[in-house]
Protein backbone atom coordinates (compact mmCIF):
# COMPACT_ATOMS: atom_id res chain seq x y z
CA UNK A 1 0.00 0.00 0.00
CA UNK A 2 1.43 3.38 -1.00
CA UNK A 3 0.98 6.55 1.05
CA UNK A 4 -2.28 8.39 0.45
CA UNK A 5 -1.84 11.39 -1.85
CA UNK A 6 1.83 10.57 -2.39
CA UNK A 7 4.06 11.99 -5.09
CA UNK A 8 5.46 9.37 -7.47
CA UNK A 9 9.23 9.94 -7.96
CA UNK A 10 9.02 8.13 -11.30
CA UNK A 11 7.17 11.19 -12.60
CA UNK A 12 10.07 13.58 -11.85
CA UNK A 13 10.64 14.23 -15.56
CA UNK A 14 7.36 16.20 -15.66
CA UNK A 15 8.51 18.71 -13.03
CA UNK A 16 10.01 22.11 -13.67
CA UNK A 17 13.82 22.05 -13.53
CA UNK A 18 14.10 23.77 -10.12
CA UNK A 19 11.65 21.41 -8.42
CA UNK A 20 13.14 18.37 -10.15
CA UNK A 21 16.55 19.30 -8.77
CA UNK A 22 15.06 19.73 -5.28
CA UNK A 23 13.42 16.28 -5.47
CA UNK A 24 16.77 14.79 -6.51
CA UNK A 25 18.54 16.54 -3.62
CA UNK A 26 15.93 15.28 -1.13
CA UNK A 27 16.42 11.72 -2.31
CA UNK A 28 20.22 12.05 -2.22
CA UNK A 29 20.43 13.79 1.17
CA UNK A 30 17.39 12.55 3.12
CA UNK A 31 17.19 9.00 1.81
CA UNK A 32 14.30 6.93 0.42
CA UNK A 33 11.81 6.91 3.30
CA UNK A 34 10.51 10.48 3.02
CA UNK A 35 7.38 11.22 0.97
CA UNK A 36 5.95 14.30 -0.73
CA UNK A 37 2.30 15.20 -1.36
CA UNK A 38 0.59 15.62 -4.76
CA UNK A 39 1.37 14.46 -8.28
CA UNK A 40 3.00 17.87 -8.70
CA UNK A 41 4.70 18.64 -5.35
CA UNK A 42 4.08 22.05 -3.84
CA UNK A 43 7.14 24.25 -3.22
CA UNK A 44 6.35 26.79 -0.49
CA UNK A 45 8.56 29.50 0.95
CA UNK A 46 6.33 31.29 3.45
CA UNK A 47 2.93 31.22 5.10
CA UNK A 48 0.47 33.69 6.58
CA UNK A 49 -2.92 32.88 8.07
CA UNK A 50 -4.70 30.40 5.78
CA UNK A 51 -2.30 31.02 2.89
CA UNK A 52 0.93 29.40 1.74
CA UNK A 53 3.08 31.05 -0.93
CA UNK A 54 5.41 29.60 -3.56
CA UNK A 55 8.71 31.19 -4.66
CA UNK A 56 6.86 33.36 -7.20
CA UNK A 57 4.59 34.68 -4.47
CA UNK A 58 1.50 32.82 -5.71
CA UNK A 59 -0.96 32.04 -2.89
CA UNK A 60 -2.27 28.56 -2.07
CA UNK A 61 -5.40 28.26 0.06
CA UNK A 62 -4.55 25.88 2.90
CA UNK A 63 -7.58 23.72 3.63
CA UNK A 64 -5.55 20.93 5.20
CA UNK A 65 -2.96 21.96 7.79
CA UNK A 66 -4.22 21.52 11.32
CA UNK A 67 -0.61 21.86 12.48
CA UNK A 68 -0.76 25.64 12.03
CA UNK A 69 -3.96 25.60 14.05
CA UNK A 70 -4.27 29.35 14.61
CA UNK A 71 -2.90 30.26 11.19
CA UNK A 72 0.56 30.17 9.64
CA UNK A 73 3.08 32.42 11.38
CA UNK A 74 0.53 34.02 13.70
CA UNK A 75 2.27 37.20 14.94
CA UNK A 76 1.35 36.68 18.60
CA UNK A 77 2.78 33.17 18.60
CA UNK A 78 5.91 34.23 16.71
CA UNK A 79 6.49 37.10 19.16
CA UNK A 80 6.11 34.81 22.19
CA UNK A 81 8.58 32.33 20.70
CA UNK A 82 11.16 35.00 19.87
CA UNK A 83 10.87 36.77 23.23
CA UNK A 84 11.36 33.60 25.27
CA UNK A 85 14.11 32.26 23.00
CA UNK A 86 15.95 35.54 23.49
CA UNK A 87 15.72 35.22 27.26
CA UNK A 88 16.16 31.55 28.18
CA UNK A 89 15.87 28.07 26.74
CA UNK A 90 17.37 25.04 28.42
CA UNK A 91 16.47 21.53 29.48
CA UNK A 92 13.68 20.79 31.94
CA UNK A 93 15.53 19.86 35.13
CA UNK A 94 15.76 23.38 36.46
CA UNK A 95 12.98 25.17 38.26
CA UNK A 96 11.03 27.59 36.12
CA UNK A 97 7.58 29.14 36.30
CA UNK A 98 6.78 29.26 32.58
CA UNK A 99 6.02 25.54 32.25
CA UNK A 100 4.05 25.59 35.51
CA UNK A 101 1.94 28.54 34.39
CA UNK A 102 1.26 26.79 31.10
CA UNK A 103 0.45 23.45 32.74
CA UNK A 104 -1.98 25.12 35.13
CA UNK A 105 -3.73 26.96 32.33
CA UNK A 106 -3.85 23.94 30.01
CA UNK A 107 -5.29 21.66 32.70
CA UNK A 108 -8.01 24.24 33.26
CA UNK A 109 -9.52 23.18 29.91
CA UNK A 110 -9.93 19.58 31.10
CA UNK A 111 -12.41 17.89 33.42
CA UNK A 112 -11.16 18.04 37.04
CA UNK A 113 -10.54 14.28 37.06
CA UNK A 114 -7.58 14.87 34.73
CA UNK A 115 -5.06 16.49 37.03
CA UNK A 116 -1.56 15.84 35.66
CA UNK A 117 0.16 16.81 32.40
CA UNK A 118 3.50 15.55 31.08
CA UNK A 119 5.14 17.30 28.16
CA UNK A 120 6.80 15.80 25.08
CA UNK A 121 7.95 17.11 21.70
CA UNK A 122 5.56 15.21 19.42
CA UNK A 123 2.24 13.44 19.40
CA UNK A 124 4.10 10.20 18.73
CA UNK A 125 6.01 10.63 21.97
CA UNK A 126 2.80 11.51 23.82
CA UNK A 127 1.11 8.33 22.61
CA UNK A 128 4.21 6.30 23.43
CA UNK A 129 4.15 7.69 26.96
CA UNK A 130 0.44 6.88 27.32
CA UNK A 131 1.21 3.36 26.07
CA UNK A 132 3.80 2.90 28.82
CA UNK A 133 1.58 4.38 31.52
CA UNK A 134 -1.38 2.19 30.53
CA UNK A 135 0.75 -0.94 30.82
CA UNK A 136 2.15 0.13 34.17
CA UNK A 137 -1.26 1.05 35.61
CA UNK A 138 -3.24 -1.99 34.43
CA UNK A 139 -0.54 -4.64 34.30
CA UNK A 140 -2.01 -5.57 30.91
CA UNK A 141 -0.45 -5.61 27.47
CA UNK A 142 -3.47 -5.73 25.13
CA UNK A 143 -4.39 -2.63 23.14
CA UNK A 144 -7.41 -2.07 20.90
CA UNK A 145 -7.13 0.28 17.92
CA UNK A 146 -9.23 0.88 14.81
CA UNK A 147 -8.68 -0.79 11.47
CA UNK A 148 -6.81 2.05 9.74
CA UNK A 149 -5.56 4.02 12.73
CA UNK A 150 -2.62 6.37 12.87
CA UNK A 151 -1.09 7.25 16.25
CA UNK A 152 2.58 7.97 15.57
CA UNK A 153 6.03 6.78 14.59
CA UNK A 154 7.87 5.48 17.64
CA UNK A 155 8.44 1.74 17.41
CA UNK A 156 5.62 0.79 19.78
CA UNK A 157 3.16 3.31 18.35
CA UNK A 158 4.04 2.70 14.69
CA UNK A 159 3.06 -0.92 15.38
CA UNK A 160 -0.35 0.49 16.39
CA UNK A 161 -0.63 2.60 13.22
CA UNK A 162 -1.76 0.34 10.34
CA UNK A 163 -2.34 3.36 8.11
CA UNK A 164 1.47 3.62 7.75
CA UNK A 165 1.20 0.89 5.13
CA UNK A 166 1.18 -2.82 4.49
CA UNK A 167 4.83 -3.07 5.52
CA UNK A 168 3.95 -1.92 9.04
CA UNK A 169 3.16 -5.10 10.96
CA UNK A 170 1.03 -4.85 14.08
CA UNK A 171 2.83 -5.24 17.37
CA UNK A 172 2.30 -8.05 19.81
CA UNK A 173 -1.05 -7.95 21.64
CA UNK A 174 -2.50 -5.29 19.35
CA UNK A 175 -6.11 -5.93 18.28
CA UNK A 176 -7.94 -4.05 15.53
CA UNK A 177 -11.65 -3.25 15.33
CA UNK A 178 -13.66 -1.68 12.48
CA UNK A 179 -14.10 2.09 12.65
CA UNK A 180 -17.58 3.32 13.66
CA UNK A 181 -18.87 3.83 10.11
CA UNK A 182 -22.46 5.09 10.29
CA UNK A 183 -22.50 5.60 6.50
CA UNK A 184 -22.29 1.87 5.88
CA UNK A 185 -24.45 0.98 8.86
CA UNK A 186 -27.46 3.26 8.31
CA UNK A 187 -30.34 3.23 10.78
CA UNK A 188 -28.29 1.18 13.26
CA UNK A 189 -26.94 2.05 16.69
CA UNK A 190 -23.35 2.76 15.72
CA UNK A 191 -22.30 3.07 19.35
CA UNK A 192 -23.60 -0.42 20.09
CA UNK A 193 -21.94 -1.82 16.94
CA UNK A 194 -18.59 -0.27 17.86
CA UNK A 195 -18.86 -1.46 21.46
CA UNK A 196 -19.70 -4.98 20.27
CA UNK A 197 -16.55 -5.01 18.14
CA UNK A 198 -14.55 -3.86 21.17
CA UNK A 199 -16.12 -6.62 23.29
CA UNK A 200 -15.20 -9.17 20.63
CA UNK A 201 -11.60 -7.93 20.75
CA UNK A 202 -11.61 -8.23 24.53
CA UNK A 203 -12.97 -11.77 24.26
CA UNK A 204 -10.20 -12.66 21.81
CA UNK A 205 -7.66 -11.23 24.26
CA UNK A 206 -9.00 -13.53 26.99
CA UNK A 207 -8.84 -16.48 24.62
CA UNK A 208 -5.24 -15.57 23.82
CA UNK A 209 -4.32 -15.20 27.50
CA UNK A 210 -3.77 -11.45 27.12
CA UNK A 211 -4.83 -8.91 29.75
CA UNK A 212 -6.27 -5.64 28.39
CA UNK A 213 -4.40 -2.38 28.83
CA UNK A 214 -6.29 0.21 26.80
CA UNK A 215 -8.59 1.30 24.01
CA UNK A 216 -6.73 3.95 22.01
CA UNK A 217 -8.68 5.97 19.45
CA UNK A 218 -8.38 9.27 17.64
CA UNK A 219 -11.69 10.83 18.68
CA UNK A 220 -12.47 12.01 15.13
CA UNK A 221 -11.23 8.75 13.52
CA UNK A 222 -9.34 10.83 11.01
CA UNK A 223 -7.25 8.21 9.24
CA UNK A 224 -10.18 5.78 9.16
CA UNK A 225 -12.17 8.29 7.10
CA UNK A 226 -13.49 10.90 9.62
CA UNK A 227 -16.36 9.56 11.75
CA UNK A 228 -17.95 12.15 14.01
CA UNK A 229 -21.60 11.28 14.59
CA UNK A 230 -23.74 10.69 16.44
CA UNK A 231 -22.23 12.39 19.48
CA UNK A 232 -21.93 9.96 22.36
CA UNK A 233 -21.26 6.82 20.33
CA UNK A 234 -17.93 6.19 22.11
CA UNK A 235 -19.44 5.89 25.57
CA UNK A 236 -20.46 2.22 25.50
CA UNK A 237 -17.11 1.05 24.14
CA UNK A 238 -15.26 2.99 26.84
CA UNK A 239 -17.43 1.37 29.51
CA UNK A 240 -16.72 -2.08 28.06
CA UNK A 241 -12.95 -1.55 28.21
CA UNK A 242 -13.06 -0.28 31.77
CA UNK A 243 -15.22 -3.21 32.88
CA UNK A 244 -12.52 -5.50 31.50
CA UNK A 245 -9.79 -3.69 33.47
CA UNK A 246 -8.41 -1.46 30.74
CA UNK A 247 -8.28 2.30 30.34
CA UNK A 248 -9.38 4.70 27.62
CA UNK A 249 -6.78 6.86 25.85
CA UNK A 250 -8.25 9.71 23.78
CA UNK A 251 -5.87 10.69 21.00
CA UNK A 252 -6.60 14.41 20.54
CA UNK A 253 -3.54 15.12 18.39
CA UNK A 254 -5.73 15.94 15.38
CA UNK A 255 -9.19 16.88 16.77
CA UNK A 256 -8.00 18.77 19.84
CA UNK A 257 -7.70 22.50 20.58
CA UNK A 258 -11.15 23.54 19.44
CA UNK A 259 -11.24 22.03 15.98
CA UNK A 260 -14.52 20.16 16.43
CA UNK A 261 -16.33 23.37 17.41
CA UNK A 262 -18.11 21.73 20.37
CA UNK A 263 -15.47 22.52 22.96
CA UNK A 264 -11.75 22.16 23.29
CA UNK A 265 -11.56 18.38 22.85
CA UNK A 266 -13.15 15.78 20.61
CA UNK A 267 -13.93 13.47 23.53
CA UNK A 268 -16.27 16.08 24.99
CA UNK A 269 -18.74 15.36 22.18
CA UNK A 270 -19.10 11.82 23.54
CA UNK A 271 -19.81 12.64 27.17
CA UNK A 272 -16.84 10.63 28.47
CA UNK A 273 -13.85 11.51 30.64
CA UNK A 274 -10.79 9.64 29.36
CA UNK A 275 -8.15 8.13 31.60
CA UNK A 276 -5.45 9.72 29.47
CA UNK A 277 -5.49 12.30 26.66
CA UNK A 278 -2.68 12.79 24.16
CA UNK A 279 -1.99 16.14 22.52
CA UNK A 280 0.21 17.23 19.65
CA UNK A 281 0.21 19.07 16.34
CA UNK A 282 -2.07 22.09 16.96
CA UNK A 283 -0.60 22.70 20.42
CA UNK A 284 2.31 24.84 19.23
CA UNK A 285 1.06 26.08 15.84
CA UNK A 286 3.96 24.30 14.17
CA UNK A 287 6.41 24.43 17.07
CA UNK A 288 7.23 20.90 18.35
CA UNK A 289 5.33 20.68 21.61
CA UNK A 290 3.00 17.89 22.70
CA UNK A 291 1.75 16.32 25.90
CA UNK A 292 -0.11 13.64 27.78
CA UNK A 293 -2.81 14.50 30.32
CA UNK A 294 -3.81 11.85 32.87
CA UNK A 295 -5.87 11.01 35.91
CA UNK A 296 -3.48 11.13 38.88
CA UNK A 297 -4.42 7.61 39.98
CA UNK A 298 -3.57 6.29 36.52
CA UNK A 299 -0.16 7.93 36.53
CA UNK A 300 0.72 7.01 40.12
CA UNK A 301 2.26 3.57 39.60
CA UNK A 302 4.29 4.65 36.61
CA UNK A 303 5.69 7.57 38.61
CA UNK A 304 6.57 5.33 41.57
CA UNK A 305 8.44 2.80 39.47
CA UNK A 306 10.05 4.94 36.78
CA UNK A 307 11.40 8.42 36.28
CA UNK A 308 10.46 10.40 33.18
CA UNK A 309 12.72 12.83 31.41
CA UNK A 310 12.42 14.60 28.08
CA UNK A 311 15.17 17.08 27.34
CA UNK A 312 12.99 19.50 25.42
CA UNK A 313 9.46 18.45 26.41
CA UNK A 314 8.11 21.40 28.36
CA UNK A 315 11.10 23.70 27.82
CA UNK A 316 10.48 27.40 28.37
CA UNK A 317 10.18 28.33 24.69
CA UNK A 318 7.69 25.53 24.03
CA UNK A 319 5.65 26.50 27.07
CA UNK A 320 5.59 30.16 25.96
CA UNK A 321 4.46 29.13 22.50
CA UNK A 322 1.75 26.87 23.92
CA UNK A 323 0.50 29.70 26.11
CA UNK A 324 0.38 32.04 23.11
CA UNK A 325 -1.69 29.53 21.12
CA UNK A 326 -4.22 29.42 23.96
CA UNK A 327 -4.28 33.23 23.95
CA UNK A 328 -5.19 33.28 20.26
CA UNK A 329 -7.85 30.57 20.57
CA UNK A 330 -9.53 32.59 23.33
CA UNK A 331 -9.07 36.12 21.98
CA UNK A 332 -10.14 35.30 18.43
CA UNK A 333 -13.02 33.01 19.50
CA UNK A 334 -11.66 30.22 17.35
CA UNK A 335 -13.81 27.45 18.85
CA UNK A 336 -16.90 29.44 17.92
CA UNK A 337 -15.37 30.15 14.52
CA UNK A 338 -14.79 26.42 13.96
CA UNK A 339 -18.46 25.77 14.68
CA UNK A 340 -19.79 28.63 12.54
CA UNK A 341 -17.51 28.27 9.54
CA UNK A 342 -17.64 24.49 9.80
CA UNK A 343 -21.44 24.58 9.53
CA UNK A 344 -21.19 26.94 6.54
CA UNK A 345 -18.69 24.64 4.88
CA UNK A 346 -20.82 21.56 5.48
CA UNK A 347 -23.90 23.28 4.09
CA UNK A 348 -21.95 24.21 0.99
CA UNK A 349 -20.77 20.62 0.54
CA UNK A 350 -24.34 19.38 0.93
CA UNK A 351 -25.37 21.77 -1.84
CA UNK A 352 -22.59 20.43 -4.07
CA UNK A 353 -23.73 16.87 -3.31
CA UNK A 354 -27.10 17.68 -4.88
CA UNK A 355 -25.30 18.34 -8.18
CA UNK A 356 -22.45 15.86 -7.94
CA UNK A 357 -23.61 12.32 -7.20
CA UNK A 358 -20.03 11.26 -6.58
CA UNK A 359 -20.31 12.83 -3.11
CA UNK A 360 -21.84 9.99 -1.16
CA UNK A 361 -21.51 11.19 2.43
CA UNK A 362 -20.39 14.25 4.37
CA UNK A 363 -19.12 13.79 7.92
CA UNK A 364 -17.96 16.65 10.05
CA UNK A 365 -17.47 18.24 13.42
CA UNK A 366 -16.54 21.90 13.26
CA UNK A 367 -13.59 22.40 10.92
CA UNK A 368 -12.83 18.70 10.57
CA UNK A 369 -14.64 17.39 7.51
CA UNK A 370 -14.62 14.15 5.55
CA UNK A 371 -16.43 13.99 2.21
CA UNK A 372 -16.65 10.42 0.95
CA UNK A 373 -16.59 9.95 -2.81
CA UNK A 374 -18.38 6.92 -4.26
CA UNK A 375 -18.93 5.59 -7.78
CA UNK A 376 -22.50 4.60 -7.00
CA UNK A 377 -24.60 5.87 -4.11
CA UNK A 378 -26.56 2.61 -3.99
CA UNK A 379 -23.55 0.29 -3.72
CA UNK A 380 -21.31 2.92 -2.06
CA UNK A 381 -18.35 1.63 -4.03
CA UNK A 382 -15.35 3.82 -3.11
CA UNK A 383 -14.21 6.27 -5.78
CA UNK A 384 -10.52 6.15 -4.91
CA UNK A 385 -9.12 7.07 -8.31
CA UNK A 386 -11.54 9.96 -8.61
CA UNK A 387 -10.62 11.21 -5.13
CA UNK A 388 -6.97 11.36 -6.15
CA UNK A 389 -7.94 13.34 -9.23
CA UNK A 390 -9.97 15.76 -7.08
CA UNK A 391 -7.09 16.31 -4.66
CA UNK A 392 -4.64 16.95 -7.49
CA UNK A 393 -7.17 19.01 -9.46
CA UNK A 394 -7.57 21.29 -6.45
CA UNK A 395 -3.80 21.50 -6.07
CA UNK A 396 -3.61 22.65 -9.71
CA UNK A 397 -6.01 25.45 -8.71
CA UNK A 398 -3.76 26.24 -5.71
CA UNK A 399 -6.14 24.78 -3.10
CA UNK A 400 -4.63 22.20 -0.76
CA UNK A 401 -6.45 19.23 0.79
CA UNK A 402 -5.70 15.51 1.07
CA UNK A 403 -7.55 12.21 1.43
CA UNK A 404 -8.19 9.59 4.12
CA UNK A 405 -9.64 6.15 4.68
CA UNK A 406 -8.48 2.62 3.80
CA UNK A 407 -9.16 3.22 0.09
CA UNK A 408 -8.24 6.95 0.14
CA UNK A 409 -11.66 7.96 -1.18
CA UNK A 410 -12.55 10.41 1.60
CA UNK A 411 -11.60 14.05 1.03
CA UNK A 412 -9.86 15.20 4.20
CA UNK A 413 -10.65 18.84 4.91
CA UNK A 414 -9.23 20.52 8.04
CA UNK A 415 -8.04 24.10 7.52
CA UNK A 416 -6.46 26.37 10.13
CA UNK A 417 -9.01 27.51 12.71
CA UNK A 418 -8.88 31.10 11.39
CA UNK A 419 -10.57 29.89 8.17
CA UNK A 420 -13.42 32.22 7.21
CA UNK A 421 -16.70 31.80 5.34
CA UNK A 422 -15.11 33.63 2.42
CA UNK A 423 -12.24 31.13 2.44
CA UNK A 424 -14.77 28.30 2.54
CA UNK A 425 -16.60 29.76 -0.47
CA UNK A 426 -13.33 29.90 -2.44
CA UNK A 427 -12.73 26.23 -1.65
CA UNK A 428 -16.29 25.22 -2.55
CA UNK A 429 -16.10 27.01 -5.90
CA UNK A 430 -12.82 25.29 -6.72
CA UNK A 431 -14.20 21.90 -5.67
CA UNK A 432 -17.31 22.44 -7.79
CA UNK A 433 -15.11 23.19 -10.81
CA UNK A 434 -12.93 20.12 -10.27
CA UNK A 435 -15.90 17.79 -9.79
CA UNK A 436 -17.48 19.18 -12.94
CA UNK A 437 -14.29 18.51 -14.88
CA UNK A 438 -14.06 14.94 -13.56
CA UNK A 439 -17.67 13.81 -13.66
CA UNK A 440 -19.29 16.23 -16.10
Amino acid sequence: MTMINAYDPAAAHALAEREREMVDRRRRLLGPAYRLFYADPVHVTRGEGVWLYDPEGRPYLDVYNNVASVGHCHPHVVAALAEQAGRLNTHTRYLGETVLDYAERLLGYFPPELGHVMFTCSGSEANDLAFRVARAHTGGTGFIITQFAYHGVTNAIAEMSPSLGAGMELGQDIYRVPAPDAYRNPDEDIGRIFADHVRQALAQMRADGVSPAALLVDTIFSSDGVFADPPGFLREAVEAVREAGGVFIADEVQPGFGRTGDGMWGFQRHGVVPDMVTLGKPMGNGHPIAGMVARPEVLARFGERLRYFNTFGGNAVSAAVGMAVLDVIERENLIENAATVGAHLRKGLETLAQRHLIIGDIRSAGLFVGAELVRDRATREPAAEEAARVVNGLRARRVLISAAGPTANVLKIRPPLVFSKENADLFLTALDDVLTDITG
Side-chain angles (χ1 to χ4, degrees), residues 7 19 46 57 94 110 112 114 149 217 235 261 287 298 328 348 383 397:
Y7 163 69
E19 282 67 36
R46 70 182 182 93
Y94 302 123
F110 286 91
L114 295 161
V217 299
R235 191 179 305 115
H287 181 82
V298 169
V328 176
R397 289 165 171 79

Side-chain angles (χ1 to χ4, degrees), residues 77-91:
V77 178
V78 172
L81 185 153
E83 192 279 330
Q84 183 61 54
R87 187 152 45 91
L88 172 69
N89 193 35
T90 184
H91 65 73

Side-chain angles (χ1 to χ4, degrees), residues 87-139:
R87 187 152 45 91
L88 172 69
N89 193 35
T90 184
H91 65 73
T92 57
R93 279 181 165 160
Y94 302 123
L95 285 173
E97 289 190 343
T98 307
V99 68
L100 301 178
D101 291 342
Y102 179 54
E104 192 169 54
R105 185 172 174 191
L106 182 64
L107 287 170
Y109 290 96
F110 286 91
E113 294 93 332
L114 295 161
H116 290 325
V117 57
M118 300 174 72
F119 292 109
T120 67
C121 299
S122 71
S124 296
E125 288 181 350
N127 277 321
D128 192 84
L129 179 58
F131 170 84
R132 295 170 61 197
V133 171
R135 286 165 53 117
H137 173 69
T138 64

Side-chain angles (χ1 to χ4, degrees), residues 235-258:
R235 191 179 305 115
E236 188 175 343
V238 171
E239 291 170 355
V241 168
R242 286 175 173 161
E243 288 170 4
V247 296
F248 171 48
I249 305 169
D251 184 336
E252 293 286 341
V253 172
Q254 295 196 59
F257 290 90

Side-chain angles (χ1 to χ4, degrees), residues 10-97:
H13 64 277
L15 298 179
E17 182 179 358
R18 177 181 57 192
E19 282 67 36
R20 186 170 64 249
E21 290 176 353
M22 290 182 71
V23 168
D24 288 342
R25 285 184 71 200
R26 279 176 62 97
R27 186 166 55 248
R28 186 173 70 253
L29 297 171
L30 305 182
Y34 284 88
R35 301 290 188 271
L36 290 164
F37 269 167
Y38 305 109
D40 180 9
V42 179
H43 179 186
V44 296
T45 57
R46 70 182 182 93
E48 182 179 355
V50 300
W51 300 98
L52 292 168
Y53 296 86
D54 68 13
E56 283 69 46
R58 293 174 297 196
Y60 290 73
L61 181 63
D62 186 352
V63 197
Y64 182 71
N65 278 298
N66 66 328
V67 178
S69 58
V70 298
H72 293 280
C73 301
H74 193 289
H76 181 65
V77 178
V78 172
L81 185 153
E83 192 279 330
Q84 183 61 54
R87 187 152 45 91
L88 172 69
N89 193 35
T90 184
H91 65 73
T92 57
R93 279 181 165 160
Y94 302 123
L95 285 173
E97 289 190 343

Side-chain angles (χ1 to χ4, degrees), residues 350-372:
E350 290 170 346
T351 299
L352 289 185
Q354 295 173 14
R355 299 200 299 274
H356 300 286
L357 298 182
I358 193 172
I359 301 177
D361 193 33
I362 300 162
R363 306 186 282 267
S364 68
L367 280 174
F368 213 131
V369 183
E372 180 158 355

